[in-house]
Amino acid sequence: MNKNNIIGFSLIAIVLIGFSWYSQPSEKEKKAQQEQLAKQEATREKTEKTLQNAANAKQAATKAKILEDTTALFHDALQGKPQQITLQNSKVALTLNSKGAVVEKAIIKGYVGHDIKSRNDANDKNHVTLFDTKDQSLKFMLSAKEANIITSDLYFTPSQVTDSTVTFTANAGIGKNIVMSYVLGNDYLLHMKMSVNGMAGFFAPNINTMDIDWTDHCRQQEKGFSFENRYATLTYHKSSGGTDYLNETKEQIDKNVEDPIDWVAFKNQFFSAVIISKNDIKSNALMTSIPEQKGSGYLKQYEAKMKTFFDPTGKRPSEFNFYYGPNDFRLLKKVEKESNFGKQLELQRLVYLGWPLFRIINRWFTLYVFDWLSKVFPMGIVLIMITLLLKVITYPMVKKSYMSSAKMRVLKPKLDEATKQYDKPEDQMQKQQAMMAEYSKYGVSPLSGCLPMLIQMPIWIAMFNFVPNAIQLRGQSFLWIKDLSTYDPIISWSKNLWMIGDHISLTCILFCGANLLYSWFTMKQQEDQMVGQQADQMKMMKWMMILMPLFFFFVFNDYSAGLNFYYFISLFFSAAIMWALRKTTNEEKLLHILEAHYSENKSNPKKKSGLAARLQAMQQEQIEMQKKREDLANKKRDLNKK
């Protein structure tokens, strides 16, 4: 990290912190905003309630009319007593309600459940409740000639009930019914077929679609609300390929998805509920995501309004797969093979691995190494070993970067001597050229250390994307850390403080401390090789090395302990490697090698010396071009005077 990098990052940090402080509303403005939001919320709730009451009244009137007419369609199915049927295996337990014939509760086994006290229904320690009847609803709507048929209003009769199968039938009359059959696979995939029998005459001839309305109040499953909320989003897969999602932080209501899609997922950080249609979900589906407030026990309100294939003759059923399970990359790849729809579902995209370059690193390197190590070692050790492996891989580049700085450091007295006559501000171009000339003579390139450091950046960013999405870290303890997937507070309090939150994370402090140590080593190394005014500027910048770790504390305090621990270990080893290289580098021997190279270049003046020589030539060319432009300008000025 050179001087310009440090200045840039420091200025960014100052601007962000300053803007955050400056943009804070006053107490009066906060109160006015709260009152305005309360009024808007009250107005919206009143409007929604009015519309809902009108819809309920219309529906009740229609139902009452049907119940009065004993020959009406679904007369018997509109009344009854709900029954719960549970399909389960070693992975999930799915409770289906005979009213509506859909899953009303999904339990994922084998994962630690956290007690989210604000919801007052603590999960069992051995499973996670993804949703229950008060959180989620799913209804299928068929447009008949006389009235709409809504499955959530109907009482179905269950039959063929086993641990993995059930068939629900809603009778519309003699020889007329709706049938919804379910088959649970060996893990997290539920297959469903829906068809109508003997009802072709009740639908218009051009009817070939049905409406689906799916809503979910996405539960908070992890301790860190803000961190989990960053990774909770409504996601969908386009039939043409690729996934997209709604903004994680902004409210989006009835966003129109213009492309046909294969599936829609209501996703939180580590678990998802997914509906997959065998036939494409038609274009112009409407998606909604509304963020919830911290302390509510929920992350988002999701809704998807869709249309898909429906055959009123009953010859072809509408088929769906439902996935209720963890966001595990390998598992999601396996689900695509288990689905019998023959589609490229790309469900593994629910595990976000970063932008294309970082995704490639995580997909073809990090995942394989992580899977291999996690079979043998606990997760904390896995993070340490991945860090060590990456340090071994990048060590040649780090050493090259360090040696480049060491060469410039031992040449500093010679550079001071060669450039001492260029101390005026207007002589900076000549000073740079003189420095490049000296570097070229000794075979040193001042930029040779930059490229190796840049090569490491994609690895650091790739891990930033990988660690928060690794469900294998969830519930795993290491040393003092109870759960590597969330923050590890050494102190907590009830009220949120600006930029800090309601806790202080120990791994975040360690990360910032390691960052401070690494920054100090880096700046010391930069300071030792600076010449003239650069050295004076570097001395003035020493205080800035404290600013960046402080800024990172405010950013990463709410991040997972696993991510902070990885960065702590990575920076600690980076500082240790830099210290070891400094101790083991014989600077006298290095200077002797450079002197030998200088003698060789002196005896062969035509010989060019790497990048420094090219930079020198470029600077010389720029100076010559500048002189030509000045000469041309002077000639024009003389002509104008004549």
Side-chain angles (χ1 to χ4, degrees):
M1 183 181 293
N2 59 28
K3 179 186 69 174
N4 292 332
N5 296 138
I6 296 170
I7 293 174
F9 283 125
S10 300
L11 290 176
I12 291 171
I14 292 171
V15 170
L16 289 174
I17 295 174
F19 179 76
S20 299
W21 175 83
Y22 179 75
S23 59
Q24 282 191 106
S26 64
E27 291 299 325
K28 185 177 181 180
E29 290 174 332
K30 286 181 180 179
K31 187 176 180 180
Q33 289 176 358
Q34 291 173 355
E35 291 176 354
Q36 182 66 22
L37 288 173
K39 289 179 181 178
Q40 292 176 353
E41 184 66 21
T43 302
R44 189 176 73 172
E45 289 179 357
K46 185 177 180 180
T47 303
E48 289 178 352
K49 188 174 181 180
T50 302
L51 293 173
Q52 187 62 42
N53 289 339
N56 291 340
K58 184 178 179 180
Q59 185 177 341
T62 303
K63 183 176 179 180
K65 184 177 179 181
I66 293 173
L67 291 174
E68 289 176 3
D69 184 359
T70 58
T71 64
L73 200 65
F74 293 109
H75 174 270
D76 295 331
L78 284 170
Q79 51 191 338
K81 186 176 181 180
Q83 301 179 54
Q84 279 75 36
I85 307 296
T86 300
L87 306 182
Q88 61 181 320
N89 53 31
S90 61
K91 305 292 185 181
V92 293
L94 305 176
T95 302
L96 294 92
N97 196 319
S98 63
K99 185 179 182 183
V102 294
V103 178
E104 70 171 9
K105 185 176 183 179
I107 291 176
I108 302 173
K109 302 178 181 179
Y111 288 90
V112 177
H114 298 303
D115 181 5
I116 307 301
K117 296 180 180 180
S118 56
R119 197 171 53 238
N120 297 319
D121 63 341
N123 289 330
D124 186 89
K125 293 297 181 183
N126 297 318
H127 71 249
V128 168
T129 301
L130 188 59
F131 61 84
D132 61 19
T133 184
K134 69 177 183 294
D135 298 326
Q136 187 170 139
S137 70
L138 173 63
K139 55 188 177 184
F140 302 90
M141 294 168 282
L142 309 174
S143 299
K145 292 178 181 178
E146 297 184 0
N148 291 333
I149 301 169
I150 303 175
T151 57
S152 59
D153 294 336
L154 304 178
Y155 290 86
F156 289 74
T157 302
S159 61
Q160 302 177 17
V161 179
T162 68
D163 282 345
S164 60
T165 63
V166 63
T167 298
F168 290 103
T169 305
N171 291 312
I174 299 174
K176 304 177 183 66
N177 55 48
I178 297 177
V179 179
M180 299 168 69
S181 59
Y182 292 90
V183 178
L184 178 62
N186 295 325
D187 44 36
Y188 304 95
L189 203 63
L190 178 68
H191 185 74
M192 179 262 219
K193 290 184 179 180
M194 176 181 176
S195 61
V196 296
N197 301 307
M199 297 179 60
F202 292 93
F203 299 95
N206 61 341
I207 292 295
N208 59 5
T209 62
M210 66 176 172
D211 291 277
I212 303 173
D213 192 349
W214 187 27
T215 64
D216 179 36
H217 210 180
C218 182
R219 288 185 170 204
Q220 179 185 344
Q221 302 288 357
E222 315 306 324
K223 180 171 64 175
F225 172 85
S226 300
F227 188 66
E228 182 184 9
N229 211 22
R230 291 186 184 99
Y231 298 92
T233 178
L234 189 154
T235 307
Y236 53 89
H237 182 266
K238 300 176 183 179
S239 301
S240 58
T243 57
D244 204 349
Y245 56 92
L246 301 192
N247 189 285
E248 303 94 330
T249 58
K250 295 181 180 179
E251 179 179 298
Q252 291 184 273
I253 299 177
D254 288 344
K255 177 186 176 183
N256 188 6
V257 180
E258 298 179 354
D259 300 306
I261 56 180
D262 292 321
W263 52 260
V264 178
F266 292 162
K267 173 184 177 293
N268 61 17
Q269 185 178 3
F270 292 120
F271 304 96
S272 291
V274 187
I275 181 172
I276 308 165
S277 178
K278 182 176 182 179
N279 301 95
D280 291 348
I281 295 171
K282 305 297 181 182
S283 55
N284 299 316
L286 301 178
M287 306 294 174
T288 295
S289 175
I290 303 174
E292 289 286 5
Q293 295 296 319
K294 184 176 182 179
S296 65
Y298 293 92
L299 303 172
K300 305 279 196 320
Q301 292 183 42
Y302 293 138
E303 183 174 14
K305 300 174 184 177
M306 306 166 281
K307 289 181 181 290
T308 191
F309 167 80
F310 167 68
D311 181 9
T313 67
K315 295 178 181 179
R316 291 177 58 196
S318 299
E319 295 187 60
F320 303 90
N321 282 331
F322 295 90
Y323 176 82
Y324 305 108
N327 299 328
D328 184 308
F329 188 93
R330 301 295 185 197
L331 178 62
L332 290 166
K333 288 279 290 182
K334 182 181 175 183
V335 167
E336 182 168 317
K337 297 178 181 178
E338 294 178 2
S339 174
N340 56 3
F341 293 167
K343 291 185 171 185
Q344 296 289 330
L345 297 175
E346 296 184 298
L347 279 168
Q348 70 274 11
R349 288 295 189 93
L350 289 172
V351 182
Y352 183 68
L353 297 179
W355 291 353
L357 174 61
F358 314 128
R359 187 188 306 131
I360 291 171
I361 295 172
N362 284 327
R363 173 68 181 86
W364 300 108
F365 173 77
T366 313
L367 272 170
Y368 282 100
V369 175
F370 191 83
D371 290 345
W372 176 59
L373 292 174
S374 60
K375 293 176 182 177
V376 182
F377 302 101
M379 288 302 158
I381 301 297
V382 169
L383 291 175
I384 295 175
M385 296 191 71
I386 287 179
T387 306
L388 289 174
L389 179 60
L390 291 173
K391 291 303 174 187
V392 170
I393 293 173
T394 59
Y395 177 76
M397 295 180 286
V398 172
K399 185 176 181 180
K400 184 177 180 180
S401 175
Y402 175 82
M403 292 307 296
S404 176
S405 298
K407 289 175 182 178
M408 290 188 285
R409 183 169 62 251
V410 298
L411 289 176
K412 183 175 181 293
K414 298 182 181 299
L415 290 175
D416 288 334
E417 181 66 26
T419 61
K420 62 182 180 181
Q421 68 270 32
Y422 302 119
D423 284 340
K424 296 179 181 179
E426 60 269 20
D427 296 334
Q428 291 305 304
M429 180 67 76
Q430 290 88 339
K431 182 175 183 178
Q432 289 294 327
Q433 187 179 9
M435 289 173 61
M436 289 300 167
E438 288 297 305
Y439 285 139
S440 179
K441 292 175 185 177
Y442 289 94
V444 175
S445 171
L447 298 181
S448 62
C450 297
L451 183 59
M453 297 304 291
L454 289 175
I455 292 174
Q456 295 182 78
M457 287 299 295
I459 297 175
W460 297 334
I461 298 174
M463 292 300 293
F464 177 81
N465 289 306
F466 177 80
V467 174
N469 289 288
I471 193 172
Q472 294 85 347
L473 296 175
R474 188 179 185 274
Q476 297 297 311
S477 60
F478 182 67
L479 299 177
W480 70 89
I481 306 170
K482 295 181 180 179
D483 187 346
L484 286 165
S485 69
T486 187
Y487 59 82
D488 58 320
I490 55 172
I491 184 172
S492 301
W493 51 87
S494 58
K495 188 177 180 180
N496 278 330
L497 298 181
W498 177 65
M499 292 188 70
I500 297 179
D502 57 4
H503 66 275
I504 294 178
S505 173
L506 178 56
T507 51
C508 182
I509 293 175
L510 292 175
F511 159 48
C512 293
N515 193 9
L516 181 63
L517 178 65
Y518 180 73
S519 298
W520 184 84
F521 272 120
T522 302
M523 292 188 68
K524 185 66 177 175
Q525 182 173 308
Q526 293 286 336
E527 183 184 45
D528 291 344
Q529 68 190 43
M530 293 298 174
V531 178
Q533 292 182 352
Q534 291 179 337
D536 296 333
Q537 292 172 358
M538 183 59 67
K539 291 177 182 178
M540 296 173 61
M541 289 169 55
K542 281 186 176 180
W543 65 271
M544 292 186 181
M545 71 181 183
I546 301 174
L547 185 60
M548 286 306 295
L550 179 63
F551 171 70
F552 281 130
F553 170 77
F554 292 117
V555 174
F556 284 85
N557 186 47
D558 204 39
Y559 275 56
S560 68
L563 184 62
N564 279 321
F565 182 72
Y566 165 76
Y567 280 135
F568 160 64
I569 294 296
S570 180
L571 286 168
F572 177 80
F573 280 126
S574 294
I577 290 170
M578 192 176 296
W579 177 83
L581 287 171
R582 184 71 180 259
K583 288 294 182 180
T584 56
T585 300
N586 188 328
E587 296 189 355
E588 291 183 4
K589 184 177 179 180
L590 181 60
L591 181 59
H592 179 72
I593 294 172
L594 294 175
E595 292 283 6
H597 196 285
Y598 173 74
S599 299
E600 182 182 351
N601 284 344
K602 191 175 182 180
S603 62
N604 185 10
K606 293 184 179 180
K607 183 177 179 181
K608 299 295 181 182
S609 181
L611 181 60
R614 292 194 292 273
L615 289 173
Q616 180 188 359
M618 290 173 60
Q619 284 191 337
Q620 182 63 37
E621 185 179 349
Q622 289 178 353
I623 292 173
E624 291 176 356
M625 291 178 62
Q626 180 66 26
K627 288 181 178 179
K628 289 180 180 179
R629 285 195 292 267
E630 290 177 356
D631 291 341
L632 182 61
N634 291 332
K635 289 180 180 179
K636 288 182 178 179
R637 189 162 50 248
D638 292 339
L639 289 173
N640 291 334
K641 288 181 179 179
K642 292 179 180 180

